Amino acid sequence: MASRSGRGNHDSKQQDAGVTRITVAGFKSIREEQSIDVAPLTILAGANSSGKSSMMQPLLLLKQTLEASYDPAPLLLDGPNVRFTKAGQFLSRSQKGEPGGEFRIAVQLGTNDRVEICLGKTPKAGFGVRRLTSTMFGNTYELTPEMDHDAVRGQLPLAAKLADGSFPEEVREQCVWRVRQDRCFLGVEATHGDGDHWATFSYLPAEALSHELRNLIHLPALRGNRGRDYPVTAVGESFLGGFDAYVASVIAQWQTEEAGGDLTCMNGDLELLGLTWKAVTRRVSDAHMEIQVARLPRSTVGGEDDLVNVADVGIGVSQVLPVLVALQVARPGQLVYIEQPEIHLHPRAQVALAKVFSRAAKRGVRVVVETHSSLLLLAVQALVAEGKLSPDLVKLHWFTRSETDGTTRIDTADLDEAGAFGEWPEDFGDVEWTAENAYLNAAEKALRRGMKDAK
Amino acid sequence: MPSRISMRFVIDSSVMQAAGRAHPVDKRPKRCRGFLDVVYGCNHRVVVTDEIETEWRQHSSRVAVMWQRRMRTHRKIWRPPPDAIEPLTDAIAGVESNRREQKLMQEDLFLLEAALAADKIVTSLDKEVHGLFRNAAKEIPKLRRVIWVDLDEPDEDGAKWVSGGVSLDPERMLGSSHE
């Protein structure tokens, strides 16, 4: 397990680490290019089918492609994070309903580096990587599968320079350069050989992005009732696939830590949410373990051993536990994408969840939350207004679907010191106001009807 | 002349409280909700001082809390700088009135002080205080141009007036019968 030394509050370096901006075009309802800045606490809100998930799914496609046990080049469509069977299911459709030919995903890492990948139908290989553009150290390189030796060398002086150390000077000029597809990315390869001996140098401009994607922790909306047992898994820096399979093993590892800070923190969060005050794991076989939780929400005298399997308490516990564990285990700069963290949670717990997100964000974890919870958003605003969460650490993105062509529009807002976010097309507050108004108006009518009937 | 610019309204807690009620006959609750809705929707702002906030808290309703949250979230709250508030206590104390009337005026003075620091618009349901301030405006010239939207008046369609552009009609001014 990697050491998580950066446990204090965030600093500017942490704020600049990891994925800082995502741009998508041509993917589902995001037909035109749309971007979101990724802050330590990034909230994606909006109506159903407004495109919130579509902004993150290209990243998940890349992640599951990179993590596949075989090479599914260029994309693993049906995987543990997202499930498609045909490219036509995610390529944006035109006004006439015809699927487009390509989609683009660009990811900015830190303040300077950026990788853009364009995938689509290619003349020779069906669906494939059409183009990869990488900006590093202030230089931009563009690779396409069709590039020949001269084109590659011309595009990648940096790669050539890096290769200098791989080949003796006398053979360097004799190297043959070509573009190589590596799953969902393009890289370059320089080879030199005399028939009997070959030497190869490979360079992947998207290596840093690949690292971030493998480390991305994904908590889907349907975190699934895993039944009574969880698999025994390895626990490392990255978590392949969905995160929920690792939950029990992470807790088990925390139980072995002498200081026990992580376990204490998780239990504190469970109590904060009013769910339980203790969760532990117990090995039931070489392959499985169970999670046991305290039956009562608060600690009581003699209640230390009053534990039940997590499947035997309200589903809210098993649904939110992966969220709490993920936020605790994530390192500064690591991206944690959580879909609908509020599902199955009582309103009071939804409000408390904001404090858990805030703590992770202040550690520098990049928490991207897709939510329909007005209470969660309001609680984040309150934390900012109370001075407990810097507004600089929060980004709000409101997704709207066009009623005419179904495309996504994203409005972005920054919170001010008072937790206000200014102009948005519509927010949860508007919906609640309208519903409250409708109720009061209807109640007045009902009362009038009652008066008439009484006469 | 109707105004399309963002105006700053002082809204009495009586409006906030009434907005949250459901009454079979009384039209004021619906009128108040309609008024609050257009103030938000037409991009106007609400004036907030410590006194106004305290009154809102004491006489609030669920719908009022929702409205205030919308206004705050969308930065439609305007808080006057401390030196913009000019106390009217002494001026009102000099107005010819009995002890009860004086007490009522002094209790709601903060509405006028806030309005004078903003765009001189007060919305209220308090007909009695409205009448007292109209009387006070005879003796205090600066009160005469304050617009008082009395949502207690059956003919006062505040929502229509706001959505129509907040015209500065002399008949709504406290000094309307004196100029």
Side-chain angles (χ1 to χ4, degrees):
Chain A
M1 187 77 187
S3 157
R4 296 190 301 283
S5 53
R7 286 271 152 182
N9 283 354
H10 83 104
D11 57 29
S12 59
K13 275 185 188 169
Q14 282 179 7
Q15 203 169 336
D16 291 340
V19 174
T20 51
R21 189 173 169 83
I22 300 167
T23 301
V24 172
F27 193 89
K28 292 172 79 173
S29 61
I30 307 177
R31 197 162 68 200
E32 305 300 327
E33 183 177 298
Q34 300 281 340
S35 297
I36 56 166
D37 286 327
V38 179
L41 181 52
T42 302
I43 296 173
L44 313 183
N48 295 109
S49 302
S50 58
K52 302 183 294 295
S53 302
S54 304
M55 199 68 202
M56 298 301 289
Q57 281 179 346
L59 249 67
L60 299 177
L61 269 175
L62 300 184
K63 175 182 172 65
Q64 68 187 23
T65 301
L66 293 168
E67 292 174 353
S69 57
Y70 58 94
D71 186 351
L75 283 177
L76 178 63
L77 298 187
D78 190 355
N81 303 103
V82 273
R83 306 198 70 175
F84 298 105
T85 52
K86 289 188 288 190
Q89 290 161 355
F90 58 76
L91 289 171
S92 297
R93 290 170 186 266
S94 66
Q95 288 271 33
K96 291 178 181 171
E98 293 155 355
E102 65 175 37
F103 80 92
R104 284 183 290 122
I105 163 83
V107 181
Q108 184 164 321
L109 302 171
T111 51
N112 297 315
D113 297 350
R114 183 178 190 270
V115 178
E116 180 178 306
I117 306 144
C118 175
L119 293 113
K121 292 165 192 159
T122 56
K124 290 178 184 171
F127 199 81
V129 184
R130 280 184 170 181
R131 191 172 61 253
L132 183 142
T133 311
S134 170
T135 303
M136 286 187 307
F137 311 115
N139 297 312
T140 298
Y141 312 109
E142 184 173 289
L143 298 177
T144 60
E146 301 81 24
M147 290 169 79
D148 61 14
H149 167 86
D150 292 334
V152 173
R153 285 220 63 166
Q155 273 285 309
L156 286 164
L158 176 67
K161 195 178 169 190
L162 291 170
D164 283 355
S166 303
F167 300 106
E169 197 174 345
E170 61 272 19
V171 297
R172 202 176 300 150
E173 288 305 312
Q174 297 164 21
C175 282
V176 177
W177 287 85
R178 69 185 184 94
V179 171
R180 180 170 67 87
Q181 183 169 327
D182 187 340
R183 300 201 176 198
C184 46
F185 296 143
L186 294 177
V188 293
E189 194 172 72
T191 54
H192 176 264
D194 59 5
D196 294 324
H197 302 92
W198 289 88
T200 302
F201 166 79
S202 295
Y203 170 62
L204 278 175
E207 191 64 50
L209 173 60
S210 172
H211 178 75
E212 293 294 339
L213 292 172
R214 286 170 194 272
N215 283 343
L216 189 161
I217 296 177
H218 175 220
L219 293 136
L222 296 173
R223 293 184 273 280
N225 184 356
R226 298 198 66 86
R228 305 190 71 79
D229 297 335
Y230 288 71
V232 172
T233 66
V235 177
E237 280 190 33
S238 55
F239 301 93
L240 307 185
F243 182 76
D244 46 354
Y246 299 89
V247 173
S249 295
V250 173
I251 297 172
Q253 172 144 329
W254 287 344
Q255 284 170 212
T256 66
E257 289 174 0
E258 262 184 44
D262 290 316
L263 194 66
T264 306
C265 207
M266 178 199 68
N267 285 333
D269 288 342
L270 285 167
E271 194 165 5
L272 177 74
L273 267 60
L275 299 172
T276 181
W277 63 276
K278 183 181 181 183
V280 292
T281 57
R282 190 179 70 88
R283 196 94 169 210
V284 293
S285 71
D286 288 340
H288 294 95
M289 57 176 74
E290 69 167 343
I291 297 176
Q292 294 184 324
V293 295
R295 197 172 53 81
L296 299 176
R298 307 268 177 251
S299 170
T300 55
V301 178
E304 186 74 16
D305 298 320
D306 187 6
L307 304 171
V308 292
N309 187 294
V310 72
D312 296 328
V313 294
I315 195 169
V317 182
S318 60
Q319 290 292 301
V320 82
L321 195 57
V323 174
L324 304 181
V325 173
L327 293 173
Q328 186 66 22
V329 82
R331 290 166 291 103
Q334 193 165 5
L335 190 64
V336 181
Y337 170 42
I338 309 168
E339 299 178 56
Q340 319 298 340
E342 69 273 13
I343 49 172
H344 301 291
L345 287 184
H346 183 276
R348 199 179 299 115
Q350 293 181 32
V351 171
L353 204 51
K355 288 183 183 167
V356 183
F357 290 148
S358 167
R359 200 179 61 236
K362 285 195 272 193
R363 278 205 300 120
V365 177
R366 292 196 176 270
V367 188
V368 177
V369 180
E370 186 187 319
T371 184
H372 291 125
S373 172
S374 58
L375 287 170
L376 177 60
L377 178 57
L378 186 60
V380 169
Q381 290 179 256
L383 288 172
V384 170
E386 288 163 8
K388 293 176 180 167
L389 175 65
S390 165
D392 297 339
L393 298 182
V394 186
K395 277 279 179 199
L396 301 180
H397 302 289
W398 187 269
F399 288 65
T400 314
R401 182 172 53 164
S402 161
E403 288 188 6
T404 51
D405 62 9
T407 55
T408 293
R409 195 188 87 194
I410 305 173
D411 290 271
T412 296
D414 292 309
L415 293 182
D416 61 19
E417 298 286 337
F421 50 71
E423 277 308 309
W424 261 17
E426 184 191 65
D427 77 286
F428 299 127
D430 296 336
V431 178
E432 285 170 5
W433 164 268
T434 305
E436 183 75 15
N437 244 325
Y439 163 67
L440 290 169
N441 291 341
E444 284 179 347
K445 276 186 186 170
L447 289 169
R448 278 199 292 276
R449 275 199 308 272
M451 281 175 70
K452 277 183 190 169
D453 293 345
K455 283 177 187 171
Chain B
M1 185 72 181
S3 164
R4 287 289 170 198
I5 60 169
S6 173
M7 302 292 273
R8 294 164 295 180
F9 289 74
V10 171
I11 301 178
D12 183 34
S13 58
S14 57
V15 176
M16 298 290 180
Q17 193 173 33
R21 285 202 298 265
H23 195 279
V25 182
D26 190 352
K27 297 271 194 277
R28 290 177 301 177
K30 195 170 180 180
R31 207 181 297 149
C32 289
R33 289 196 291 277
F35 177 79
L36 292 175
D37 200 30
V38 294
V39 168
Y40 168 82
C42 294
N43 216 20
H44 296 299
R45 287 170 290 168
V46 64
V47 182
V48 171
T49 61
D50 291 346
E51 292 92 340
I52 290 173
E53 266 187 328
T54 304
E55 284 286 310
W56 281 0
R57 264 197 294 274
Q58 285 171 356
H59 309 282
S60 198
S61 63
R62 185 180 148 98
V63 79
V65 170
M66 283 181 180
W67 182 81
Q68 288 160 28
R69 177 180 145 200
R70 288 170 99 195
M71 295 297 280
R72 278 186 203 284
T73 291
H74 293 284
R75 298 183 185 133
K76 292 178 180 180
I77 295 275
W78 185 76
R79 190 175 275 278
D83 57 358
I85 298 285
E86 196 180 327
L88 289 169
T89 315
D90 293 342
I92 290 291
V95 172
E96 193 180 325
S97 55
N98 64 33
R99 186 176 291 178
R100 184 179 164 279
E101 290 168 342
Q102 187 61 223
K103 183 171 177 282
L104 286 174
M105 282 193 289
Q106 292 290 349
E107 279 173 359
D108 278 359
L109 205 51
F110 65 92
L111 297 173
L112 287 178
E113 290 171 347
L116 287 169
D119 292 317
K120 301 184 179 66
I121 304 170
V122 177
T123 312
S124 172
L125 279 174
D126 196 330
K127 195 181 279 297
E128 185 174 9
V129 170
H130 181 200
L132 292 171
F133 283 143
R134 281 176 66 86
N135 189 49
K138 290 177 190 167
E139 298 174 42
I140 309 172
K142 70 171 79 168
L143 298 186
R144 290 175 194 164
R145 297 191 71 79
V146 171
I147 288 182
W148 191 283
V149 183
D150 189 352
L151 294 178
D152 194 43
E153 283 289 333
D155 296 335
E156 177 60 279
D157 191 341
K160 193 175 174 185
W161 173 67
V162 174
S163 56
V166 191
S167 53
L168 305 177
D169 307 324
E171 62 268 28
R172 286 192 173 87
M173 292 179 183
L174 290 179
S176 61
S177 58
H178 318 303
E179 288 186 341

